[in-house]
Amino acid sequence: MSWTADGYVATVTMNNFQIYRHIQNPGWTLGWTWAKKEVIWSMVGAQTTEQGDCSKFKGNVPHCCKKTPTVVDLLPGVPYNQQFSNCCKGGVIGAWGQDPSAAVSQFQVSAGLAGTTNKTVKLPKNFTLLGPGPGYTCGPAKIVPSTVFLTTDKRRKTQALMTWNVTCTYSQFLARKHPSCCVSFSSFYNDTITPCPSCACGCENKKSCVKADSKILTKKGLNTPKKDNTPLLQCTHHMCPVRVHWHVKTNYKDYWRVKIAITNFNYRMNHTLWTLAIQHPNLNNVTQVFSFDYKPVSPYGSINDTGMFYGTKFYNDLLMEAGPSGNVQSEVLLQKDQKTFTFKQGWAFPRKVYFNGDECMLPPPDSYPFLPNSAQGNFASFSLTILLLLFISIW
């Protein structure tokens, strides 16, 4: 944004362009390696986690002297003179599809012992992003055309002196070796409930899990998160922190109704601004969603088979930790397409489910609730009875 006697002042903007994955509490952590011997004189809207060795400076001491600074967002409620636009949210960045205005975080940094012209500035390298855990891989910084700004009266344009971009991509396989959620199914036409697969999320935490009726749950401080985000899970056969349940509830002439329930089994984590993305061919004709907000997602343009569900603000956008309040649920009314609609062969169940952007493990297809064998015969005998009655009345 401007040059200083020994460096520059820069605005760092982090945009989350992921439609249904956000960065939740405890928030993002951004790191990089300086190309030369730069220091950070001051920061507004964020801070480094360590100052480093600044013993060679007399008088003014830099904010950070580390070769590899690690930056985190400030918490809400900091003094106004420490705040910057779109800062101070504890590192939480919303998903773009949920709320574009919340999908950004910014801070200002004053770098010293750096270049003071476009030709002498050396770009930082080895960028890292935790969001809040592993999974992101960042590419190199690339110089791009300078960012342009409009004045408040929108009659004049100004521009940055220099701009560079860094793109970070997410991989669920780098984030964890097991899924973080699973899916179970049930239906009105079959008494069988198809549970999550056993050890769907790995059973490494089985030794430290807690039974739902354990007296340990009354202990104070149980729900306080650990620094390393180690979960405290309720003992289940699937050992997943989150379960999504899809229940085919009712069948009407032109519509059918589904109930969706999300349950949290982690006693040490609640989920702010949670999202649920589901792929199903009938999501191209959603009539009404009763307790969640809903947006269609069209990743392939013409194919509209994916939708994103998320909590209504100030009502159920927070999924509480495991316990009596650790669930949210809604019902969805869908209009039938008579050419494709069927209850046969598991058609009524989703193809893919994502919670907070991570794909959940589905049950094996041969375990889905199926139509009873007598269903076809019952419908046929019912039709035959009507025909006989008509025949008798005519006779």
Side-chain angles (χ1 to χ4, degrees):
M1 299 299 295
S2 62
W3 303 116
T4 60
D6 68 339
Y8 56 85
V9 175
T11 296
V12 180
T13 303
M14 301 171 61
N15 289 299
N16 180 18
F17 294 114
Q18 298 172 106
I19 300 297
Y20 45 82
R21 178 182 292 108
H22 68 296
I23 295 179
Q24 63 180 359
N25 190 53
W28 56 263
T29 301
L30 180 67
W32 64 82
T33 301
W34 288 116
K36 298 192 290 186
K37 296 182 179 180
E38 294 91 338
V39 296
I40 299 176
W41 281 114
S42 63
M43 298 188 76
V44 183
Q47 64 182 6
T48 59
T49 56
E50 295 182 52
Q51 184 183 33
D53 182 10
C54 297
S55 58
K56 67 178 181 179
F57 292 90
K58 296 180 180 179
N60 291 334
V61 178
H63 175 82
C64 178
C65 300
K66 287 182 68 69
K67 179 79 171 177
T68 56
T70 301
V71 179
V72 294
D73 194 12
L74 297 181
L75 297 174
V78 297
Y80 286 111
N81 62 348
Q82 298 179 30
Q83 293 185 22
F84 197 70
S85 57
N86 295 309
C87 85
C88 314
K89 298 179 285 188
V92 175
I93 304 180
W96 183 266
Q98 189 172 1
D99 184 3
S101 65
V104 61
S105 185
Q106 289 181 297
F107 62 89
Q108 189 181 75
V109 55
S110 178
L113 303 182
T116 56
T117 67
N118 290 37
K119 292 183 179 180
T120 56
V121 166
K122 298 295 182 183
L123 274 58
K125 52 189 179 180
N126 300 332
F127 280 84
T128 59
L129 175 65
L130 299 177
Y136 286 93
T137 303
C138 299
K142 295 183 179 180
I143 296 176
V144 296
S146 296
T147 307
V148 176
F149 306 94
L150 275 176
T151 56
T152 52
D153 61 3
K154 298 183 179 180
R155 299 177 64 190
R156 170 178 161 80
K157 292 181 180 179
T158 61
Q159 69 178 51
L161 304 178
M162 189 176 182
T163 301
W164 59 78
N165 275 356
V166 177
T167 301
C168 301
T169 56
Y170 180 84
S171 169
Q172 184 174 343
F173 300 104
L174 292 177
R176 56 184 66 85
K177 65 177 182 178
H178 297 297
S180 58
C181 53
C182 64
V183 185
S184 56
F185 295 142
S186 61
S187 66
F188 71 90
Y189 54 77
N190 194 313
D191 293 336
T192 303
I193 297 176
T194 302
C196 288
S198 296
C199 291
C201 300
C203 282
E204 288 87 346
N205 296 314
K206 199 119 188 177
K207 294 180 181 179
S208 58
C209 69
V210 178
K211 293 184 179 180
D213 58 352
S214 174
K215 293 182 180 179
I216 298 176
L217 298 178
T218 60
K219 186 179 178 181
K220 289 184 178 180
L222 180 80
N223 302 119
T224 304
K226 298 290 185 181
K227 287 186 177 181
D228 59 356
N229 290 327
T230 304
L232 180 62
L233 300 181
Q234 186 181 119
C235 294
T236 58
H237 72 281
H238 52 77
M239 290 305 294
C240 286
V242 173
R243 181 191 67 198
V244 179
H245 186 75
W246 176 282
H247 174 66
V248 180
K249 185 176 180 180
T250 315
N251 181 32
Y252 306 109
K253 180 181 178 182
D254 296 317
Y255 300 89
W256 61 298
R257 186 186 291 254
V258 171
K259 184 175 182 179
I260 302 172
I262 309 172
T263 305
N264 187 4
F265 292 100
N266 189 350
Y267 289 102
R268 286 187 184 145
M269 178 176 283
N270 55 40
H271 295 275
T272 56
L273 304 176
W274 59 266
T275 62
L276 180 69
I278 295 178
Q279 183 184 19
H280 189 283
N282 211 158
L283 287 178
N284 63 352
N285 210 347
V286 174
T287 301
Q288 188 174 359
V289 180
F290 291 91
S291 300
F292 295 163
D293 287 338
Y294 173 79
K295 282 184 181 179
V297 178
S298 302
Y300 306 110
S302 60
I303 302 175
N304 180 19
D305 65 350
T306 307
M308 182 179 72
F309 301 87
Y310 54 97
T312 303
K313 201 168 185 179
F314 306 123
Y315 175 58
N316 58 1
D317 60 340
L318 172 63
L319 175 59
M320 295 294 291
E321 60 270 2
S325 302
N327 67 88
V328 289
Q329 51 191 346
S330 176
E331 293 189 5
V332 184
L333 186 66
L334 304 111
Q335 187 172 4
K336 295 178 180 178
D337 181 349
Q338 301 298 344
K339 296 179 181 178
T340 58
F341 179 84
T342 179
F343 283 129
K344 296 179 182 178
Q345 299 176 341
W347 185 91
F349 300 102
R351 311 309 188 251
K352 287 188 177 182
V353 176
Y354 299 83
F355 180 77
N356 283 349
D358 285 337
E359 187 172 358
C360 304
M361 179 173 280
L362 298 171
D366 58 358
S367 67
Y368 286 18
F370 55 86
L371 279 171
N373 292 330
S374 59
Q376 300 287 344
N378 287 340
F379 292 145
S381 62
F382 179 68
S383 302
L384 180 63
T385 304
I386 293 175
L387 287 172
L388 285 171
L389 285 172
L390 286 171
F391 178 78
I392 292 168
S393 61
I394 291 170
W395 183 262

